[in-house]
Amino acid sequence: MIEISDLPVDRLADACRQIHDMSPPTEAEPLVLECSRRLLADPGGERAHIWVGALVAMSGYLSWRPGRTAERTALDALRAAAKTLGERPCSHDRHSYESEMHALEDEIWAGETGLLGEIPSGAADFDVERVLCPGNVAGWARLAQDVIAPFTVRRIPAGAPKYHRSCIKVLSGIVNDYPYDDPHEVLTDEAGCLPSRPTRGVLAGFLVTMNATCWYAASERITDRSVPEAMVKGVEEAVASLPDGPCAHDSDEHPDTDDPDHASRIGYLLRSPGGRAEMAEDHGWEEEDEAAGTADDDEPLDAWVCPAFLRDLAEETLATLKDALKGFETAEGGEGPPSS
């Protein structure tokens, strides 16, 4: 049996490319720990970009349910690399990680970073010097850290992906009662969009979106019971994905979701590093601050991804939707239309 610690760099990097969100711990954890160990040993060294690239490649696994030691060690290594490399001078106005942020579909990186020695497909103007720039490597380290543990890092460019912006606009129309598209189709599609192994940000965003729109699905505006049925199914599946564990917040620190328009926007901002950076910017985080903390107001941003908060939110959502289904049952029994 080959010891991972004995693998040459190229074979270790290639093994990391094969790890994804569905990989078993027996395959993923030794690679995560070895790459994290090497990065922690020299977070600013000439091979730091390789270990950062490896952890980015394995972030799909790390953002699901890694072992505690693997998650903690990976985050420590990424944090050390981001700090060490991010303090070095850089003459570039922009870095390639910024232009690739939109490709983090459901926050799982499916492309090439260039950090592992590969040339991204279609990159005729691939510039090794810019890709290996300390600022670019530090940027990838911050992105991976934020995907694994949302709201624990700053200095991420603010701005949700264009597709998420479009979804925010569509949902705003629905919750403000002037839908651009058929709400039946939109809400059914939203209910079925959760990946089988979502990241913490995507999972939180989905549940917030379901809560923001459940009142509309329960109103007389929705005439097809398949809509609330699909939403119930989606929420129940999401709840099953929530991790166990105690709540780290005071009772008054969980977010207020009484404004459906605001909540529907947050539901999509939560689903990307750029969207979360926009939330942080709105709440007064300073761009130059490296360490994360609470916002300037009384609402800690990490409360949006708190499992306890999300369980309560899901319970409220399910109660609303199941009441709506009872209304459909009454209407189908001939006793009148479903009530809002």
Side-chain angles (χ1 to χ4, degrees):
M1 179 178 181
I2 298 175
E3 289 291 334
I4 287 180
S5 58
D6 295 332
L7 284 178
V9 172
D10 58 342
R11 290 188 61 189
L12 185 57
D14 187 61
C16 293
R17 291 190 188 99
Q18 311 309 314
I19 299 301
H20 50 81
D21 58 323
M22 303 295 287
S23 295
T26 52
E27 291 181 15
E29 303 266 328
L31 288 167
V32 169
L33 290 169
E34 180 62 20
C35 292
S36 300
R37 180 188 67 78
R38 296 192 189 196
L39 184 57
L40 278 169
D42 194 6
E46 62 180 17
R47 289 181 171 174
H49 65 279
I50 295 174
W51 313 129
V52 169
L55 291 173
V56 171
M58 296 188 289
S59 60
Y61 172 81
L62 284 164
S63 62
W64 175 235
R65 290 185 181 174
R68 278 189 170 184
T69 301
E71 180 180 18
R72 182 178 64 251
T73 308
L75 288 172
D76 287 346
L78 290 167
R79 190 176 298 113
K83 183 177 189 303
T84 302
L85 297 170
E87 290 175 347
R88 293 183 181 171
C90 169
S91 60
H92 302 124
D93 294 331
R94 287 181 60 82
H95 295 101
S96 58
Y97 82 90
E98 297 177 66
S99 61
E100 297 294 345
M101 286 174 64
H102 71 279
L104 281 164
E105 184 176 352
D106 287 330
E107 293 206 292
I108 303 301
W109 179 247
E112 300 91 359
T113 62
L115 301 181
L116 294 177
E118 78 282 26
I119 297 178
S121 56
D125 57 348
F126 185 69
D127 185 338
V128 174
E129 186 274 330
R130 290 180 71 91
V131 168
L132 300 187
C133 164
N136 188 55
V137 181
W140 278 112
R142 286 191 289 269
L143 285 186
Q145 183 184 339
D146 188 67
V147 167
I148 298 166
F151 299 116
T152 60
V153 63
R154 304 185 187 182
R155 295 179 61 189
I156 290 175
K162 289 182 180 179
Y163 172 69
H164 289 182
R165 286 275 173 224
S166 175
C167 292
I168 289 171
K169 181 179 179 181
V170 169
L171 291 176
S172 178
I174 289 175
V175 299
N176 284 293
D177 214 10
Y178 52 85
Y180 302 103
D181 302 297
D182 182 355
H184 294 75
E185 293 183 6
V186 172
L187 296 181
T188 300
D189 288 346
E190 286 290 333
C193 75
L194 190 69
S196 60
R197 291 193 171 182
T199 67
R200 290 182 65 193
V202 168
L203 179 58
F206 175 84
L207 286 170
V208 171
T209 297
M210 290 293 98
N211 182 261
T213 55
C214 68
W215 72 270
Y216 194 97
S219 72
E220 72 281 355
R221 300 161 182 81
I222 296 299
T223 58
D224 187 341
R225 67 175 296 149
S226 68
V227 176
E229 283 177 342
M231 293 176 72
V232 166
K233 181 174 184 291
V235 172
E236 289 178 340
E237 290 176 352
V239 170
S241 294
L242 285 170
D244 296 324
C247 178
H249 305 102
D250 292 336
S251 58
D252 61 346
E253 288 185 323
H254 284 164
D256 182 353
T257 57
D258 289 343
D259 180 350
D261 194 33
H262 173 69
S264 66
R265 173 175 176 265
I266 294 297
Y268 264 95
L269 293 185
L270 283 166
R271 304 185 199 204
S272 69
R276 290 190 293 272
E278 187 173 331
M279 291 175 63
E281 195 175 75
D282 290 345
H283 284 72
W285 280 13
E286 295 297 330
E287 176 67 16
E288 64 270 15
D289 291 342
E290 183 66 37
T294 58
D296 287 348
D297 60 18
D298 294 331
E299 178 188 287
L301 289 177
D302 68 349
W304 282 102
V305 296
C306 170
F309 160 70
L310 294 171
R311 285 184 188 280
D312 289 345
L313 197 67
E315 184 177 334
E316 175 187 304
T317 304
L318 288 171
T320 298
L321 294 170
K322 288 179 179 180
D323 279 348
L325 289 173
K326 290 178 182 177
F328 275 102
E329 291 171 2
T330 298
E332 289 164 359
E335 298 179 24
S339 59
S340 59

